[in-house]
Amino acid sequence: MDFQGISSNFLEAGVEALAVAVFKGEKATSAGLKEFDKLANGHIAAAIKSEEFKGETGDTALIRITPNGNIKASLLLLVGVGDEKEFNEAGVFITAGTATRYLRKCNVKTFAFLPRSKVNTVATVQNSVQAAITSQFELDKYKTKDKNNKAITKVVVCVDGANTTELKTGIARGIAIGDSMNFTRDLANEPPNILTPAEMAKRTAKMAKDVGLKLDVLNEAQMEKLGMGSLLSVSKGSDQPAKLIVLRYTPTRNSAKKGDLLALVGKGITFDTGGISLKPGEGMDAMKYDMSGGATVIGTMRAIALLKPTVPVIGIVAAVENMPDGKASRPSDVVTASNGKSIEILNTDAEGRLILADAVAYAEKQGATRIVDMATLTGAVIVALGDQNTGIMGNDQALMDEIINLGKETGEGFWQLPLGPEYSKQIRSDIADIKNIGPRGKAGTIMGAVFIQEFVDKAKWAHLDIAGTAWSDAVRPHQAKGPTGVALRTLVKFIEASQ
Ligand code: BES
Ligand code: MN
Ligand code: ZN
């Protein structure tokens, strides 16, 4: 897909279609629309009057126009953005994605987009480009027929008064983040017979080489040496050896406070059968996405390598398959993690926290002073928050607040759940230091978090439970159903804010 940024002459962009953001309740006679309504022979006024188009988020109306003179386009798409006062970066993202998906369906190849946003120019262009890219992602990779065969080849983004540098920067940033989101989503969508832990490491290696990140992949023998008995207890039941994927981004100019290091840590369960505590067959197929946290870490590191912020970041992914076999952990097994804590495994299906325990401890050993972990950790977070908010918990309120607030800009919801000593008590074991589950039916999401907290020493830490947000069961106007790449956009902002 090619991108071009312009600051005027929107109508004369030389494309097949024009897409214009329209506010809720906006009249065709408004300063922003009246020229278009004239071009459309009053059809905008008619669409608004008949209430066929109201300007709500996701609303669309396609109007045919007659090309004339310098105007080559024959289609005008109105895209609703909702309340003008609330139109932010997230709104630009949804609007641009909606336009791109809609016009692709109409077999359009080239179009110009007028976001009409008041947020800063770079962010407007960036979000338009990002969404144009992510809106094209489809689940049909393994189809041999009935594949989507339509493609948008060129998008022209128009922001009034933008200068060349802003347009260029916005486009480059949008491509970096949009492609990285699709990279994450592609990993999450891969079938588990193809995306094994080794394959996840291999694809990460190729990406690292392409964008210039340093990579170490620890094998099981190396993890054994480091005492990672918790992580390895999960992979024991699988024929696929576990990999600890470690990506390092080091800036050329480092503006971080001396000694400060951020670590992103991801759960990379390439398939979760539950192990000996076997999951029911129905719906088990969904568990291929149980590596989404890891995929987000890898995609975020990719984006960071391209955006080059002035702070170092390390990305750690525990890639493991959770299977039941003769070597698998049994409920009641006791294992010891790399920080010396003993764990009674009472449910082998609470495996995410077992692998994150050693991964988080490893992050701190590598010098991390701040850790953000992300995981499709609990079904309970879906019950609590559904698919609109990621559960966030941690030991540092300022760190959590920062992520929550940046999420408001990107449109990614984060909702905090409480932690505390009374919750931590509930994972004390009768025979070991801790057990890997809490009391049945009680605060399941928090139990996952307080378990991971046992493996954080001095670092500031936030835990993101993305079980409800990493996969969308329904197609949305701006996005295919399936993997969402959730948290990547907010994490990029978070990293850039700490420069
Ligand atoms: N990967 C699952 C969590 C999950 C469940 C994600 C459903 C998405 C949809 C995790 O490993 C798991 O099995 N968690 C258990 C924990 C329980 C045994 C304490 C759960 O949520 O049921
Ligand atoms: Mn599980
Ligand atoms: Zn799992």
Side-chain angles (χ1 to χ4, degrees), residues 3-16:
F3 294 99
Q4 189 191 340
I6 59 173
S7 56
S8 56
N9 299 336
F10 173 69
L11 292 175
E12 296 162 19
V15 288
E16 296 161 45

Side-chain angles (χ1 to χ4, degrees), residues 246 248 257-263 312-314 316 359-371 458-460:
V246 184
R248 285 191 176 81
K257 229 174 64 215
K258 207 171 139 48
D260 265 7
L261 176 63
L262 171 71
V313 186
I314 165 168
I316 300 172
V360 160
Y362 183 77
E364 217 165 339
K365 255 192 225 154
Q366 296 302 302
T369 50
R370 291 188 302 166
I371 299 173
K458 293 190 185 65
K460 294 177 177 171

Side-chain angles (χ1 to χ4, degrees), residues 193-261:
N193 61 325
I194 291 173
L195 197 85
T196 59
E199 179 65 16
M200 202 168 173
K202 202 169 131 196
R203 293 200 190 180
T204 307
K206 177 170 186 306
M207 179 280 284
K209 191 158 170 252
D210 289 348
V211 301
L213 285 169
K214 207 172 154 280
L215 171 74
D216 287 318
V217 179
L218 275 61
N219 62 27
E220 291 193 340
Q222 291 167 304
M223 289 189 259
E224 186 82 55
K225 266 206 185 120
L226 292 165
M228 298 188 171
S230 185
L231 187 156
L232 291 168
S233 77
V234 178
S235 91
K236 278 194 317 182
S238 169
D239 283 350
Q240 300 295 335
K243 304 286 174 191
L244 191 70
I245 301 170
V246 184
L247 282 165
R248 285 191 176 81
Y249 167 73
T250 312
T252 30
R253 184 178 68 80
N254 189 344
S255 69
K257 229 174 64 215
K258 207 171 139 48
D260 265 7
L261 176 63

Side-chain angles (χ1 to χ4, degrees), residues 184-472:
T184 290
R185 294 161 85 199
D186 180 56
L187 288 176
N189 187 47
E190 285 292 24
N193 61 325
I194 291 173
L195 197 85
T196 59
E199 179 65 16
M200 202 168 173
K202 202 169 131 196
R203 293 200 190 180
T204 307
K206 177 170 186 306
M207 179 280 284
K209 191 158 170 252
D210 289 348
V211 301
L213 285 169
K214 207 172 154 280
L215 171 74
D216 287 318
V217 179
L218 275 61
N219 62 27
E220 291 193 340
Q222 291 167 304
M223 289 189 259
E224 186 82 55
K225 266 206 185 120
L226 292 165
M228 298 188 171
S230 185
L231 187 156
L232 291 168
S233 77
V234 178
S235 91
K236 278 194 317 182
S238 169
D239 283 350
Q240 300 295 335
K243 304 286 174 191
L244 191 70
I245 301 170
V246 184
L247 282 165
R248 285 191 176 81
Y249 167 73
T250 312
T252 30
R253 184 178 68 80
N254 189 344
S255 69
K257 229 174 64 215
K258 207 171 139 48
D260 265 7
L261 176 63
L262 171 71
L264 305 177
V265 180
K267 169 178 175 181
I269 293 287
T270 57
F271 194 70
D272 182 11
T273 63
I276 296 300
S277 312
L278 193 65
K279 285 184 182 297
E282 198 182 315
M284 197 197 275
D285 55 288
M287 285 301 119
K288 72 171 184 179
Y289 94 127
D290 212 17
M291 33 56 70
S292 294
T296 295
V297 170
I298 296 166
T300 305
M301 292 303 289
R302 182 187 184 279
I304 288 305
L306 296 170
L307 297 170
K308 304 193 191 317
T310 59
V311 289
V313 186
I314 165 168
I316 300 172
V317 178
V320 187
E321 189 182 47
N322 187 21
M323 296 284 270
D325 86 349
K327 295 200 198 69
S329 293
R330 318 148 190 81
S332 77
D333 277 1
V334 173
V335 297
T336 303
S338 51
N339 72 344
K341 288 198 182 178
S342 60
I343 302 163
E344 184 184 16
I345 300 173
L346 288 179
N347 190 323
T348 64
D349 197 11
E351 85 297 339
R353 61 201 74 179
L354 292 172
I355 65 167
L356 285 172
D358 282 325
V360 160
Y362 183 77
E364 217 165 339
K365 255 192 225 154
Q366 296 302 302
T369 50
R370 291 188 302 166
I371 299 173
V372 180
D373 84 69
M374 56 218 77
T376 48
L377 204 72
T378 65
V381 81
I382 309 174
V383 177
L385 301 176
D387 60 7
Q388 294 301 311
N389 278 282
T390 291
I392 183 168
M393 290 140 278
N395 65 5
D396 188 85
Q397 193 58 46
L399 173 62
M400 289 184 280
D401 284 345
E402 198 180 346
I403 295 172
I404 293 167
N405 287 328
L406 292 171
K408 287 177 185 154
E409 292 173 22
T410 58
E412 296 184 314
F414 294 89
W415 199 266
Q416 187 180 345
L417 300 176
L419 301 184
E422 292 305 320
Y423 287 118
S424 293
K425 267 188 208 160
Q426 296 176 2
I427 56 163
R428 282 188 194 158
S429 156
D430 292 337
I431 67 157
D433 296 335
I434 49 174
K435 54 187 179 185
N436 77 331
I437 52 169
R440 199 184 168 77
K442 285 191 175 168
T445 302
I446 294 172
M447 291 303 126
V450 292
F451 185 91
I452 298 166
Q453 187 172 20
E454 296 287 331
F455 301 87
V456 179
D457 184 20
K458 293 190 185 65
K460 294 177 177 171
W461 159 74
H463 160 65
L464 312 179
D465 194 333
I466 59 171
T469 49
W471 192 272
S472 171

